[in-house]
Amino acid sequence: MSGGMRLSRAVEAIPPSGIRQFFDVVSRMEDVISLGVGEPDYGTAWRVREAAIYGLERGRTTYTGNSGLLDLRRAIAAALGDQYGLWYDPERELLITVGVSEGLDLALRALLDPGDEVLILDPSYVAYPPCVSLAGGVPVWTPAHAEDRFVPRPDELERRTTPRTRALLLNYPGNPTGAVPTRAELEAIAAVVRRHDLVVISDEIYDRLSYDAPHVPFATLPGMLERTLLLNGFSKTYGMTGWRVGYAAGPAPLIGAMTRIHQYTALCASRQAQEAAIEALRVPEREIQATVDDYALRRQAIVSGLNRIGLACHMPAGAFYAFPSIAATGLDAHEFATRLLHEARVALVPGDAFGPGGAGHVRCAYATSLPQIEEAIARIDRFLDRLGASRAPEVVEAAALSAD
Ligand code: PLP
């Protein structure tokens, strides 16, 4: 793998991303409908692009301070305060990062000593285990079951907590499952956190994409503000994946430690991206809501379509991913995804890319247009016909799960 050059053992131990390999193949194929990558299809609003262009025209091409533009930190603090009643000090409790990705890496490096354990839900976002390992920590999978809407059980979290457990990594609305715990479920998780004196790294990048109930930031739960690091960014809500800008909000000592690493490794996030992010926060609420409403329609279309053709799928409460079971087909997730790609030209991601608990599922991103979603469903249906696969009965949702 290293081509003869000796590389660090930590890096050698990290498997290449299954998703990347798969999508390298997809990019070389024609007429593929991709339900693969979690990337909003509508791009960045023009007013946001113009803010960056304007800054460039004015010659604003320098570094910013390590913590990021104070105007951006103030705008984020005001938005979090107005929206969630979370009031962070923009000077000491906020850091602008190169996306949530950098915030995650900084947080883990600032918190972990070698061998410290981090609880990670299984399945969850592909970057979590390698980032923990690269920071010298040990990722510890905690199952989140389909029958629990992929919300972890407090007793399972408790069972995996040891004296070495330092942090719990949460992500809701979740990738790849779309899971959103109720407030009561979050409070039960918070009780475990309190009992074992853990830090919570809460990746809330899909906070605006919670369809059935208002988003509850973990830091708003009683006693959690002082032990929670909130990570968020502009990639998903504002269609800004390529700009690479996000933020971390949390206790001043942790933000200070993260800033010390960031000042030597990234220096600062791109100035143009930061200026664009200030403008993004001025996008009227009704425009954001229109996007969310559009995703809600796509969610309905994909989930009912998948169930109709016999791939049992729970209704995800947030994000833009459906996570149907393919168990009834008799194929494993990898075989299913590979054959579907080559035989029916639909790309989706094998569920076990997100942890062993994802086996038997595939992830379908529905950040694509309704006609594309419908065509993808029709192609999968024909593929199942040719396969002679048995079909699962439709998932009937339990009562209103979002009720707190
Ligand atoms: N966290 C989750 C849960 C994600 O799904 C993604 C991207 O798909 C990221 C973080 C990466 O975010 P960013 O673009 O802000 O680095």
Side-chain angles (χ1 to χ4, degrees):
M1 199 206 292
S2 53
M5 183 182 289
R6 195 169 69 78
L7 299 174
S8 104
R9 275 193 286 277
V11 172
E12 290 283 22
I14 289 176
S17 159
I19 300 190
R20 275 284 143 243
Q21 287 175 332
F22 198 74
F23 284 93
D24 285 348
V25 177
V26 174
S27 67
R28 290 192 294 271
M29 291 175 67
E30 276 174 21
D31 184 33
V32 173
I33 297 183
S34 181
L35 306 178
V37 187
E39 186 136 47
D41 62 334
Y42 47 83
T44 308
W46 255 111
R47 56 184 293 165
V48 174
R49 299 187 216 184
E50 275 164 359
I53 294 167
Y54 183 82
L56 284 173
E57 282 174 351
R58 291 283 170 292
R60 293 204 293 266
T61 55
T62 58
Y63 295 125
T64 69
N66 296 131
S67 299
L69 292 171
L70 186 55
D71 280 353
L72 175 56
R73 283 179 284 142
R74 284 192 176 129
I76 292 167
L80 289 172
D82 288 346
Q83 210 176 335
Y84 297 126
L86 273 175
W87 298 100
Y88 290 103
D89 175 353
E91 310 251 10
R92 298 166 53 250
E93 296 175 325
L94 267 169
L95 170 65
I96 306 303
T97 57
V98 183
V100 167
S101 305
E102 196 214 1
L104 174 70
D105 181 43
L106 294 174
L108 293 165
R109 287 205 270 164
L111 284 168
L112 301 183
D113 281 321
D116 282 350
E117 295 170 6
V118 178
L119 299 175
I120 296 178
L121 305 193
D122 177 19
S124 65
Y125 178 50
V126 287
Y128 296 159
C131 283
V132 170
S133 303
L134 284 172
V138 179
V140 176
W141 289 121
T142 304
H145 307 277
E147 61 268 29
D148 299 330
R149 304 164 3 267
F150 296 103
V151 171
R153 295 178 192 163
D155 61 323
E156 302 225 53
L157 281 171
E158 191 98 50
R159 259 207 303 285
R160 282 163 183 77
T161 306
T162 75
R164 293 306 308 257
T165 310
R166 184 82 184 91
L168 164 64
L169 225 169
L170 285 180
N171 165 228
Y172 62 89
N175 176 7
T177 62
V180 177
T182 63
R183 182 183 287 278
E185 287 165 337
L186 288 172
E187 280 172 357
I189 296 170
V192 179
V193 167
R194 208 174 298 114
R195 212 159 26 246
H196 295 278
D197 193 22
L198 306 180
V199 175
V200 174
I201 301 172
S202 191
D203 175 350
E204 301 183 23
I205 193 165
Y206 298 101
D207 67 331
R208 300 309 310 273
L209 297 176
S210 176
Y211 306 108
D212 303 328
H215 179 69
V216 180
F218 202 79
T220 60
L221 299 170
M224 289 300 115
L225 183 63
E226 52 272 34
R227 49 173 80 246
T228 300
L229 181 76
L230 168 65
L231 299 178
N232 205 337
F234 295 82
S235 292
K236 311 291 175 173
T237 305
Y238 300 99
M240 292 177 68
T241 46
W243 296 78
R244 312 308 305 127
V245 59
Y247 61 87
L254 178 54
I255 293 293
M258 291 168 61
T259 309
R260 284 209 297 283
I261 307 171
H262 169 84
Q263 72 189 347
Y264 294 121
T265 52
L267 240 154
C268 64
S270 138
R271 175 172 214 117
Q272 286 71 50
Q274 294 189 56
E275 295 195 357
I278 293 175
E279 188 60 30
L281 290 170
R282 297 191 185 118
V283 169
E285 181 54 30
R286 70 184 137 71
E287 284 179 32
I288 296 173
Q289 198 49 52
T291 314
V292 177
D293 292 347
D294 200 34
Y295 278 129
L297 289 177
R298 297 170 183 195
R299 170 181 75 141
Q300 194 61 49
I302 197 157
V303 172
S304 53
L306 289 166
N307 277 307
R308 194 175 61 240
I309 62 170
L311 295 186
C313 187
H314 72 284
M315 180 63 78
F320 40 53
Y321 306 106
F323 203 59
S325 166
I326 47 119
T329 67
L331 301 180
D332 72 30
H334 218 271
E335 203 184 347
F336 183 91
T338 309
R339 288 191 57 182
L340 183 71
L341 176 62
H342 291 284
E343 295 171 32
R345 308 252 146 188
V346 176
L348 35 70
V349 184
D352 50 4
F354 305 94
H361 290 260
V362 289
R363 189 193 75 174
C364 310
Y366 54 86
T368 188
S369 69
L370 274 177
Q372 290 275 314
I373 290 172
E374 270 146 26
E375 173 62 17
I377 296 287
R379 289 186 187 189
I380 300 171
D381 192 21
R382 288 196 293 273
F383 169 72
L384 293 176
D385 265 349
R386 286 197 297 272
L387 207 63
S390 55
R391 316 242 178 172
E394 197 157 323
V395 170
V396 179
E397 293 295 320
L401 292 166
S402 55
D404 278 350

